[in-house]
Amino acid sequence: MFLKLLLSFMLMQHAASKNYEFVFEGFDSANMSLNGVAGITGDGLLKLTNRTSMAIGHAFYSQSLRFKNSSEGNVLSFSTTFVCAIVSEIPDFSGHGMAFVISPTKFIDHGTQPSQYLGLFNLTNDGLPSNRVLAVELDTTSNKEFNDIDNNHVGIDINSVKSNKSRPAAYYDNGNGGSLKSLNLSGGGLMKVWVEYNGEEKQLDVTLSPADIPRPTRPLLSSSVDLSPVFREHMYVGFSSSTGTLAVLHYVLGWSFRVNGQASELELSRLPSLPRPAAASEPSDRTTIIGVLSITVFVVFVFIVGAVALVLRRIKYAEILEDWEQEYGPHRFSFKDLFRATKGFKEKELLGSGGFGKVYRGVLPSSHVEVAVKKISHGSKQGMKEFVAEIVSLGRLRHRNLVQLLGYCRRKGELLLVYDYMFNGSLDRFLFGHKAILSWSQRFRIIKGVASGLLYLHEEWEQIVLHRDIKASNVLLDREFNGRLGDFGLARLYDHGSDPQTTFVVGTLGYIAPELTTTGKATTSTDVFAFGAFLLEVTCGRRPILLLEGSTDGERLVDWVIQCWKKGSILDARDPVLGNEYVKEELELVMKLGLLCSHHTSAARPSMRQVMQVLDGDATLPEANLAGVILSATHSETSYLSYPSNPYRAFPNSTISVEESLLSGGR
């Protein structure tokens, strides 16, 4: 009996530690589970994404593999190699890349997001140890929020798209003294990738090269990492990819994988070929159409009715498309898609309206992604080309505290801007409306989030972005009440180190810095001034200009807070609905920081980097500048309600319209 048990145990151990291998030279008969837009072409290509924007593609080997001999054991050695290609249809532009993935699930329903999350995680679960995911990313977009090193790199990710280790995409050339040569991931060429884990030494190596050269002897990435706390006993292996506003094709031509051994090499000659670029469609054969129409009068009648319907349909969905817009194709939405997404711009889909136009909720028919569609009237072509160019540039902004501008559409006298949809709407509805009360901890997190997003706009992106309309109504809240700065309709871009140009004064009264009325020049400091008004707005639960009863005149919120401070009770200015449920030190800090950002002299205002340092507790408020706030409030004669030339004096919360400021020569 003992011998039988011993023999059975030995057989089980042998079965658990046996080499498991599969090789796919094409995927036409592969045992794969597909999800999202992933599919297998008739030629046997695994196509992770198609031309759908904001989409996810998952492709996993259908069976789970055993990576441990027991649930508490060490991860076994494994090896994989695959041949892939990332094909961008627009030169010098790419999407977000793809990843080889080992996961406890096949991602059939994982709440994942497209774009910068690569179909792996989402805003709330990124970085959680419970994900138990290893990914090797081929990343073709630089996302500062994830500390990406550039827009063409390879990274080792554990439970997060923030790479544990990454390097610019390259390979060591065996035939040239082992020199390092760069490799363009999204150039459309075939690439071969090797991922190997040594279970005894606990080392993960990643190697890549063009597919037509021998394997480099030296890996690009080597990382000492113990995967045992990450992996479960059984895991799934596969690929994940996603698109953003720019649709890019991600292909896998062949794949081999092995546990406890070296994966088999792939021969290019036995793999399917990449498809050729799609040729322009041929014009319809009019002779055939005429021949068919001549068969019966009935067919002629049907054709006429159909043609009339088609003309009416084209009129219904007609939009403006000029030659210069061809280069912005991936950022341009068709009016038909937006019409369907918003159910014909029905009133029940209306999210809000004002001087800027109307905003509708929509669900894109192709990707089922929720969006917000803003309709703005415009009657002039002046500056439109430059305006659209800036929209496309702003569409490349990537930060967790910014509402992403996905693209645009032009139709007759309308400009339609498409944004991420924010579930909880605008912040001002919670501050001044009848929504649930926001706690102080929620408000403080929102403030820090908006500050982080504004720092990214001012200093961390490739250009300087001036928002020019920072206020509570332009801060939107997602499902978790994270604050995201939105509405870039008044934004301006200029290069780092250059001088911003004079333009018309735009923005919302109460948030406009004093120097704007004299110089007409928006700067990062004028954005900081508006941010200061925003800080007081959130902490006090009051708008920047307090209207006096029975009058169009009023008092500035900043003056009222200063009066409370001079009396030694600055906390009396807090939002009454907070009661005593707040952190005294944080609330006082934010109020004083709001006053400092609202300083009459622009040079005395902090930069957004200094603001973040104060909010994070890494710096203290400069007492000398704070003292200057009181002096400037006492002696300044440039209160916003005393601008005699201001035609909007009686409307302290009005915003100068987009078409007036942007589309009529104001840029």
Side-chain angles (χ1 to χ4, degrees):
M1 182 68 178
F2 174 76
L3 290 176
K4 285 185 178 180
L5 289 173
L6 180 61
L7 179 61
S8 175
F9 176 77
M10 292 175 64
L11 289 173
M12 288 174 62
Q13 288 295 100
H14 174 72
S17 61
K18 70 178 182 179
N19 298 352
Y20 189 91
E21 180 179 22
F22 59 77
V23 180
F24 297 140
E25 295 174 324
F27 294 86
D28 46 1
S29 58
N31 184 20
M32 300 292 292
S33 293
L34 306 177
N35 186 41
V37 297
I40 296 173
T41 69
D43 297 330
L45 282 168
L46 174 57
K47 192 175 180 182
L48 295 174
T49 58
N50 53 29
R51 291 177 175 83
T52 303
S53 60
M54 302 301 292
I56 294 172
H58 296 143
F60 280 79
Y61 185 63
S62 294
Q63 298 176 2
S64 64
L65 304 182
R66 192 167 193 171
F67 282 85
K68 294 180 179 180
N69 286 333
S70 67
S71 59
E72 301 300 324
N74 291 324
V75 171
L76 303 171
S77 298
F78 62 85
S79 170
T80 188
T81 181
F82 56 92
V83 176
C84 64
I86 301 176
V87 181
S88 177
E89 297 181 324
I90 299 180
D92 301 324
F93 286 90
S94 184
H96 293 271
M98 57 179 287
F100 166 73
V101 186
I102 301 181
S103 163
T105 70
K106 290 184 283 190
F107 284 21
I108 300 303
D109 185 15
H110 196 66
T112 57
Q113 291 182 341
S115 192
Q116 64 264 43
Y117 289 97
L118 295 177
L120 293 171
F121 310 108
N122 58 45
L123 180 67
T124 56
N125 70 7
D126 184 68
L128 297 181
S130 57
N131 291 328
R132 295 181 174 272
V133 169
L134 167 70
V136 174
E137 64 175 30
L138 306 179
D139 197 340
T140 54
T141 299
S142 176
N143 291 288
K144 294 296 184 182
E145 62 180 304
F146 299 140
N147 303 322
D148 285 348
I149 55 177
D150 60 21
N151 62 353
N152 185 62
H153 63 271
V154 181
I156 296 173
D157 302 347
I158 297 178
N159 298 325
S160 171
V161 285
K162 289 183 178 178
S163 299
N164 291 49
K165 193 170 185 178
S166 61
R167 287 194 67 184
Y171 64 97
Y172 288 97
D173 188 354
N174 296 336
N176 193 19
S179 62
L180 190 64
K181 292 189 173 182
S182 62
L183 180 63
N184 183 7
L185 296 177
S186 58
L190 296 183
M191 299 174 288
K192 191 176 285 189
V193 182
W194 296 264
V195 180
E196 296 160 315
Y197 180 71
N198 188 316
E200 294 182 0
E201 298 180 3
K202 294 179 174 52
Q203 178 167 305
L204 183 67
D205 292 338
V206 181
T207 310
L208 73 160
S209 73
D212 57 353
I213 71 169
R215 173 180 176 170
T217 56
R218 182 179 174 185
L220 175 67
L221 268 176
S222 291
S223 178
S224 296
V225 56
D226 185 4
L227 295 178
S228 301
V230 181
F231 281 17
R232 291 178 178 168
E233 188 174 348
H234 290 84
M235 303 282 282
Y236 290 89
V237 293
F239 301 92
S240 179
S241 184
S242 69
T243 58
T245 55
L246 178 65
V248 176
L249 306 177
H250 300 84
Y251 294 101
V252 182
L253 289 73
W255 179 28
S256 68
F257 187 92
R258 188 172 186 177
V259 177
N260 271 342
Q262 185 68 39
S264 298
E265 286 298 323
L266 300 169
E267 296 183 19
L268 286 183
S269 60
R270 304 182 64 173
L271 303 183
S273 300
L274 285 178
R276 294 181 178 180
S281 58
E282 297 295 330
S284 60
D285 189 343
R286 295 187 178 181
T287 304
T288 303
I289 295 176
I290 293 173
V292 172
L293 292 178
S294 64
I295 296 175
T296 62
V297 175
F298 175 75
V299 174
V300 173
F301 174 76
V302 171
F303 173 77
I304 293 173
V305 171
V308 171
L310 181 61
V311 170
L312 293 175
R313 184 181 181 84
R314 287 181 176 177
I315 293 174
K316 179 180 180 181
Y317 297 127
E319 53 189 273
I320 301 171
L321 180 61
E322 298 182 39
D323 292 341
W324 54 264
E325 291 183 81
Q326 299 296 334
E327 59 184 296
Y328 302 136
H331 298 277
R332 180 174 177 119
F333 288 84
S334 72
F335 181 77
K336 181 168 70 173
D337 282 349
L338 298 183
F339 188 87
R340 291 177 175 176
T342 58
K343 299 178 182 177
F345 297 99
K346 288 188 176 179
E347 285 298 312
K348 68 176 183 179
E349 302 299 326
L350 184 65
L351 297 175
S353 60
F356 54 78
K358 294 184 177 181
V359 181
Y360 297 85
R361 174 190 172 274
V363 179
L364 296 177
S366 57
S367 60
H368 305 293
V369 171
E370 284 187 296
V371 294
V373 182
K374 176 182 290 188
K375 295 178 70 175
I376 303 170
S377 298
H378 75 84
S380 171
K381 293 184 179 180
Q382 185 178 5
M384 179 55 69
K385 182 175 181 179
E386 292 76 12
F387 182 46
V388 170
E390 291 200 359
I391 288 175
V392 174
S393 293
L394 291 168
R396 302 195 337 262
L397 293 171
R398 295 290 185 276
H399 193 278
R400 66 171 63 237
N401 295 110
L402 299 180
V403 179
Q404 187 172 341
L405 177 59
L406 304 177
Y408 77 101
C409 174
R410 289 202 299 137
R411 179 178 186 264
K412 297 180 181 178
E414 291 178 330
L415 176 68
L416 296 93
L417 302 180
V418 184
Y419 294 89
D420 279 340
Y421 172 71
M422 294 292 104
F423 181 80
N424 279 307
S426 62
L427 173 60
D428 70 326
R429 292 164 58 187
F430 288 86
L431 296 176
F432 312 117
H434 301 287
K435 287 281 187 177
I437 296 173
L438 291 175
S439 67
W440 170 248
S441 62
Q442 288 175 315
R443 298 188 195 206
F444 192 56
R445 188 173 75 247
I446 291 167
I447 286 169
K448 293 181 70 174
V450 175
S452 177
L454 197 53
L455 171 61
Y456 171 78
L457 295 178
H458 285 184
E459 300 185 26
E460 296 178 346
W461 196 51
E462 61 193 48
Q463 288 182 284
I464 296 174
V465 181
L466 304 179
H467 188 277
R468 301 205 298 172
D469 201 17
I470 301 161
K471 56 184 178 180
S473 59
N474 285 339
V475 172
L476 303 179
L477 307 177
D478 61 19
R479 291 179 183 272
E480 289 75 35
F481 287 92
N482 296 300
R484 298 201 196 185
L485 185 58
D487 197 343
F488 290 85
L490 300 183
R492 292 196 66 196
L493 295 82
Y494 64 96
D495 295 331
H496 289 277
S498 63
D499 185 32
Q501 299 300 308
T502 302
T503 183
F504 289 137
V505 177
V506 296
T508 303
L509 299 181
Y511 305 83
I512 299 175
E515 66 268 21
L516 261 177
T517 60
T518 56
T519 67
K521 186 178 292 187
T523 64
T524 54
S525 184
T526 59
D527 264 2
V528 170
F529 185 93
F531 180 74
F534 165 75
L535 291 181
L536 297 180
E537 190 175 18
V538 175
T539 53
C540 301
R542 294 171 172 85
R543 300 192 184 277
I545 296 178
L546 310 173
L547 291 180
L548 302 177
E549 186 175 354
S551 172
T552 58
D553 285 339
E555 180 182 17
R556 294 190 308 163
L557 176 59
V558 63
D559 293 333
W560 181 63
V561 175
I562 288 175
Q563 290 173 16
C564 293
W565 187 16
K566 290 169 68 175
K567 294 176 183 177
S569 55
I570 191 172
L571 295 181
D572 288 350
R574 72 183 184 276
D575 190 343
V577 303
L578 290 174
N580 294 318
E581 300 296 324
Y582 59 89
V583 179
K584 177 182 177 181
E585 295 77 14
E586 289 179 352
L587 185 57
E588 185 172 344
L589 175 75
V590 173
M591 281 189 172
K592 291 181 178 179
L593 183 59
L595 294 176
L596 184 60
C597 292
S598 303
H599 201 292
H600 174 71
T601 304
S602 62
R605 297 171 204 149
S607 68
M608 286 311 302
R609 185 167 299 280
Q610 292 170 324
V611 167
M612 279 304 304
Q613 289 171 345
V614 170
L615 291 174
D616 288 335
D618 298 328
T620 58
L621 289 168
E623 295 298 330
N625 287 7
L626 278 174
V629 171
I630 297 180
L631 290 175
S632 67
T634 303
H635 300 293
S636 173
E637 296 181 357
T638 54
S639 173
Y640 307 104
L641 298 180
S642 65
Y643 293 150
S645 60
N646 194 338
Y648 296 91
R649 178 181 177 187
F651 305 97
N653 294 306
S654 65
T655 302
I656 300 175
S657 65
V658 172
E659 64 270 25
E660 178 181 347
S661 61
L662 301 183
L663 307 182
S664 301
R667 302 192 72 78

